[in-house]
Structure formats: structure tokens, C-alpha cells
Amino acid sequence: MQLMSEKGAAGGGLRERKKRATRAALAEAAVRLAAEHGAEKVTVEAISAAAGVSVRTFFNYFDSRDDAFVVIDDDAGARMRRAVLEAPAELSPLAALREAMAAELAEAEQQHELWRLHAEVLHASPHLLARGVGAHMAAEADLADAIAERLRGAGDTGGAGSGLYPRLLAAVAGAAVRTSMDHWSAHQEEAAFLDVFHEVFTLLAAGLPAPSA
């Protein structure tokens, strides 16, 4: 699942906001059409028409039709990387990553339906699912690089900045997001998504202690 944040899209100048809005409209149109008709039956022309733009505009944002199905928000990774690197020095790497992800997930409850449809579209098409997994792994590697850079910038001399720790932390954080979303989806009436998200990260920060009897 690629993250998409209205809060993140609100940043930058007017031209940048318009570009993000157009890309988001194209991606949403692609996912909704694919969920209704099947990805293989959806054309670039149909996606463009549903988003209210030209085919030429579509190719300003995506190299191919399949890209529109796979990556909802291509800028999310760069925003999270920047947030991790710019987080206050007193925050632990886990806390810095938690805050970066929370900012991207601020609109999670409003975006939940689209994310669900996105997952359905990918799972219904093996080649799109494979591309989606590849995109997720690339995003996870970018986050690991940002964590490693943050550690090195903090004067890490124990090797954590170039070893297993950044990769493990990025992978665990990704699993935490998926767990949070799955749990919230099944218990929406009990708590807000971000409350579930923060509870999951609190458990991680505590070292995943076993629940009390």
C-alpha cells in the first residue's frame, strides 16, 4: 500500500499543489475504474476522462497505464525521508519514523476506501501485485537509507547506521502500519485510526512486552 496524505499535498506552492491534486485524481480514477471493470479493461483514455484531463496530461504524471494502478502517491516516500532526516535530534529513530508516518497517515480514515480498492486491484492482477511489492520494497529501502543517514549524522560509531538496524526498523515500521490498518478496519467503532497506530508504536518502543494476564 502506498501512502497518500491530503496534509502532505497541502504543502508547497500553488503550482505544486495543483500537480499533486492532478496526480491524485488520476490515480484515484485508475483505481476506481479498475475495481469496477478490471485493470486489463481500463484504458489511459478512460482514466484521463474520469479525472477530467487529457491523455497528454496523463503521461506527464505516469510513464504507463500500469503505473497509475500501482503507485497512488509517488511523493510520499520523499516526504517521509525528509521528515525522518529533519526530525528533532532528541527523537529516537523509531520515534522519528513514527512521526513521519503519522503525518502521511493523517487522513487515513478518509482514504480507507480507496486504499481497500487499491489492494483489491493489485491482488486481482498478478503482474500489478508484483509491481506493487517491488514499489513497497523500494520505498522501504529508501526509509532504511534515511534512518541510516540520521544515525550517521548523530555520530553513530557502533555500525548501526550501516548495518541491520535501519533495514529492520523500516521493515518493522511497515508491518506496524499494516497491522494498525488491519486492526482498525475490523474495529472502526472502537477507536480512531491514529490512536491504534500510536498504540502499535508504543508497543514497539516498549520492546513488545507480553500482555498482562
Side-chain angles (χ1 to χ4, degrees):
M1 175 183 66
Q2 299 295 311
L3 306 176
M4 177 161 59
S5 167
E6 295 295 332
K7 180 179 180 180
L14 177 61
R15 186 168 182 270
E16 186 62 27
R17 292 199 298 273
K18 286 183 175 179
K19 287 173 62 178
R20 289 177 180 172
T22 299
R23 182 187 178 93
L26 283 164
E28 181 169 352
V31 168
R32 292 190 181 280
L33 286 169
E36 183 176 356
H37 303 291
E40 70 283 354
K41 296 180 180 179
V42 177
T43 65
V44 169
E45 288 78 9
I47 296 169
S48 303
V53 302
S54 68
V55 170
R56 180 178 180 181
T57 297
F58 176 94
F59 285 109
N60 287 337
Y61 293 89
F62 300 100
D63 292 333
S64 70
R65 183 201 63 163
D66 286 358
D67 287 342
F69 300 135
V70 173
V71 182
I72 293 180
D73 185 356
D74 198 37
D75 297 327
R79 290 195 299 269
M80 285 193 290
R81 178 185 178 89
R82 185 165 58 250
V84 167
L85 293 175
E86 295 177 356
E90 62 269 19
L91 290 184
S92 68
L94 176 63
L97 188 52
R98 179 197 65 211
E99 294 306 304
M101 288 181 157
E104 290 300 318
L105 292 162
E107 307 295 332
E109 293 182 30
Q110 292 88 337
Q111 296 292 339
H112 176 248
E113 182 208 5
L114 181 60
W115 289 353
R116 177 181 59 78
L117 292 177
H118 180 240
E120 291 177 2
V121 168
L122 295 189
H123 283 87
S125 177
H127 84 279
L128 291 179
L129 181 59
R131 290 194 60 177
V133 170
H136 171 76
M137 292 178 65
E140 189 175 285
D142 284 344
L143 274 180
D145 287 345
I147 295 164
E149 185 174 341
R150 180 179 175 87
L151 287 167
R152 291 193 294 270
D156 167 61
T157 58
S162 58
L164 289 173
Y165 179 83
R167 287 154 49 192
L168 178 60
L169 179 54
V172 168
V177 170
R178 292 191 295 276
T179 300
S180 300
M181 183 59 73
D182 289 346
H183 181 85
W184 176 79
S185 295
H187 304 85
Q188 295 183 35
E189 71 285 351
E190 297 178 9
F193 169 75
L194 284 180
D195 290 338
V196 175
F197 171 86
H198 283 291
E199 182 180 353
V200 168
F201 271 80
T202 296
L203 291 171
L204 285 180
L208 290 179
S212 300

